[in-house]
Amino acid sequence: MVVIIMEKALTEQEQQDWVRDHYQAAVKYLAEKGLITESVVLEQSRYLIPLMAVWKLKLSDQSYLWVVNGDVPTDHVEENVADSARGVVRHFSLKWQMQAEELYAQDDKTQTEFADYLVSRAEGLYQLHNDEQLWG
């Protein structure tokens, strides 16, 4: 499913470029963590252009991961945390809120700024998760 959320519509080529660029960024992110991607499970991946993409990726060891990227922190989790892209969006929303609470407790300006960023993205993800029109 591709959902485009913006004032100015992107051309078909711009949409394809956005998806390709974010897929490549997700694969690079995993590679930097020593995880080699074999393929993408397109039927379970979702793109909310230009906000975010949720990828279900198969690794070379035959395991699967969910990866989120876009105008959100790039992050990943094992396949078993959710059975759909929508569930993964909810998972990251809750995960980032908990991480932000830990950062706030450090009482460090830089950490607090990053915590604020995480909270804003977590709240945005939760709104997306609750939007039935996006997932129907």
Side-chain angles (χ1 to χ4, degrees), residues 10 16 119 133:
L10 294 176
Q16 290 174 6
V119 167
Q133 294 180 19

Side-chain angles (χ1 to χ4, degrees), residues 3-29:
V3 177
I4 301 168
I5 304 173
M6 57 187 320
E7 294 175 15
K8 175 188 164 259
L10 294 176
T11 66
E12 182 70 29
Q13 184 61 51
E14 289 171 324
Q15 292 174 43
Q16 290 174 6
D17 290 347
W18 189 95
V19 171
R20 183 195 66 242
D21 291 348
H22 285 79
Y23 171 73
Q24 289 173 346
V27 169
K28 179 181 177 190
Y29 162 83

Side-chain angles (χ1 to χ4, degrees), residues 1 3-6 18 46-54 68-72 84-93 96-97 120-136:
M1 169 184 7
V3 177
I4 301 168
I5 304 173
M6 57 187 320
W18 189 95
R46 298 288 180 263
Y47 327 110
L48 302 173
I49 300 169
L51 299 177
M52 61 175 265
V54 178
V68 62
N69 68 356
D71 189 24
V72 296
S84 68
R86 185 178 189 181
V88 170
V89 167
R90 181 177 181 275
H91 170 82
F92 282 119
S93 173
W96 294 344
Q97 287 179 30
S120 72
R121 294 310 183 257
E123 289 172 349
L125 285 186
Y126 198 75
Q127 290 174 355
L128 291 173
H129 169 267
N130 285 336
D131 189 340
E132 293 295 332
Q133 294 180 19
L134 293 178
W135 308 101

Side-chain angles (χ1 to χ4, degrees), residues 62-136:
Q62 305 307 300
S63 66
Y64 291 86
L65 293 176
W66 291 102
V67 177
V68 62
N69 68 356
D71 189 24
V72 296
T74 301
D75 205 347
H76 74 283
V77 292
E78 293 183 10
E79 171 193 29
N80 64 357
V81 302
D83 59 1
S84 68
R86 185 178 189 181
V88 170
V89 167
R90 181 177 181 275
H91 170 82
F92 282 119
S93 173
L94 298 173
K95 176 184 177 189
W96 294 344
Q97 287 179 30
M98 290 188 305
Q99 285 177 329
E101 288 303 317
E102 292 174 10
L103 295 173
Y104 286 134
Q106 295 179 18
D107 198 30
D108 173 272
K109 184 179 184 222
T110 303
Q111 296 299 333
T112 298
E113 289 172 0
F114 186 65
D116 290 342
Y117 171 73
L118 281 177
V119 167
S120 72
R121 294 310 183 257
E123 289 172 349
L125 285 186
Y126 198 75
Q127 290 174 355
L128 291 173
H129 169 267
N130 285 336
D131 189 340
E132 293 295 332
Q133 294 180 19
L134 293 178
W135 308 101

